[in-house]
Amino acid sequence: GQSLEQPSEVTAVEGAIVQINCTYQTSGFYGLSWYQQHDGGAPTFLSYNALDGLEETGRFSSFLSRSDSYGYLLLQELQMKDSASYFCAVVDSGYALNFGKGTSLLVTP
Amino acid sequence: NAGVTQTPKFRILKIGQSMTLQCTQDMNHNYMYWYRQDPGMGLKLIYYSVGAGITDKGEVPNGYNVSRSTTEDFPLRLELAAPSQTSVYFCASSYSFSLGDNEKLFFGSGTQLSVL
């Protein structure tokens, strides 16, 4: 089996930096993905880490440590539109993604 | 390209009724998936398919059936609907043949289903 743990809620101020952590336990591991979902919308792909280290895409960065079974999503220069749920997900030995329960990010003025 | 298209967007069923949620994609993706999402929860995998004619169970397959007769279509069938199947259903697709790259899913807009 496998499990993913991430905080249920995070609140941050517009313009600030926020980090959303994800720890995972899985029998097989190929990589860690992050998805964003706005209320009432569909999840959309943000990033993927297969190797240790930091991947940067604009204001968003994602980090992976395979030895620690840990990753995080870093959001910089927060904007109100970043208020959404963020899900980490792993590909195990199967052919599908398994998602965490998600972190609800609220950006306040 | 339309991407992944799901119909209907909303549906109310009575207990015991059956229905089919439609999903089609125009990206020539081999991999397709059905997830359900309950309020405040993550997505749980119901069924997936790695190509036409091939399907397999995910984490929560009970009460559902799927078929994959073409690359484009992956319908989800609910038999004998129950209140526990009230949820938002997302269909998704992915191109990659490689497990290591099988990380980018394209999602449909979802079907909100209520069973009363």
Side-chain angles (χ1 to χ4, degrees), chain A residues 5-17:
Chain A
E5 296 291 332
Q6 51 182 131
S8 57
E9 294 179 351
V10 174
T11 301
V13 178
E14 192 175 15
I17 300 173

Side-chain angles (χ1 to χ4, degrees), chain A residues 23-39:
Chain A
T23 58
Y24 58 86
Q25 288 184 318
T26 179
S27 55
F29 180 79
Y30 291 86
L32 183 69
S33 299
W34 290 92
Y35 284 75
Q36 179 191 60
Q37 184 182 32
H38 286 98
D39 275 352

Side-chain angles (χ1 to χ4, degrees), chain B residues 46-92:
Chain B
I46 305 171
Y47 271 96
Y48 66 95
S49 168
V50 300
I54 305 170
T55 62
D56 207 348
K57 296 178 180 179
E59 182 184 359
V60 289
N62 292 343
Y64 307 95
N65 278 300
V66 293
S67 60
R68 184 94 183 272
S69 57
T70 67
T71 298
E72 295 77 20
D73 300 308
F74 190 40
L76 177 71
R77 177 84 176 160
L78 279 72
E79 304 282 1
L80 298 175
S84 61
Q85 293 178 304
T86 294
S87 189
V88 180
Y89 291 84
F90 288 102
C91 178

Side-chain angles (χ1 to χ4, degrees), chain B residues 4-77:
Chain B
V4 180
T5 302
Q6 288 183 238
T7 56
K9 293 191 182 300
F10 304 92
R11 183 73 185 267
I12 298 175
L13 284 181
K14 294 182 179 180
I15 295 172
Q17 287 185 320
S18 300
M19 76 163 293
T20 299
L21 281 66
Q22 301 293 341
C23 176
T24 187
Q25 51 92 8
D26 62 359
M27 297 175 283
N28 200 32
H29 286 172
N30 279 298
Y31 291 61
M32 295 189 74
Y33 312 86
W34 276 105
Y35 287 90
R36 61 174 286 174
Q37 185 176 33
D38 299 326
M41 301 293 286
L43 295 103
K44 293 187 178 180
L45 183 66
I46 305 171
Y47 271 96
Y48 66 95
S49 168
V50 300
I54 305 170
T55 62
D56 207 348
K57 296 178 180 179
E59 182 184 359
V60 289
N62 292 343
Y64 307 95
N65 278 300
V66 293
S67 60
R68 184 94 183 272
S69 57
T70 67
T71 298
E72 295 77 20
D73 300 308
F74 190 40
L76 177 71
R77 177 84 176 160

Side-chain angles (χ1 to χ4, degrees), chain A residues 30 33 35 37 40-43 45 48 87 91-101, chain B residues 31 33 35 37 40-43 45 48 50 90 99-105 107-109:
Chain A
Y30 291 86
S33 299
Y35 284 75
Q37 184 182 32
F45 174 81
Y48 174 69
F87 296 89
V91 177
D92 63 1
S93 54
Y95 291 88
L97 276 177
N98 289 289
F99 287 82
K101 293 183 178 180
Chain B
Y31 291 61
Y33 312 86
Y35 287 90
Q37 185 176 33
M41 301 293 286
L43 295 103
L45 183 66
Y48 66 95
V50 300
F90 288 102
L99 274 178
D101 294 332
N102 189 14
E103 82 291 352
K104 185 171 183 177
L105 300 188
F107 283 84
S109 58

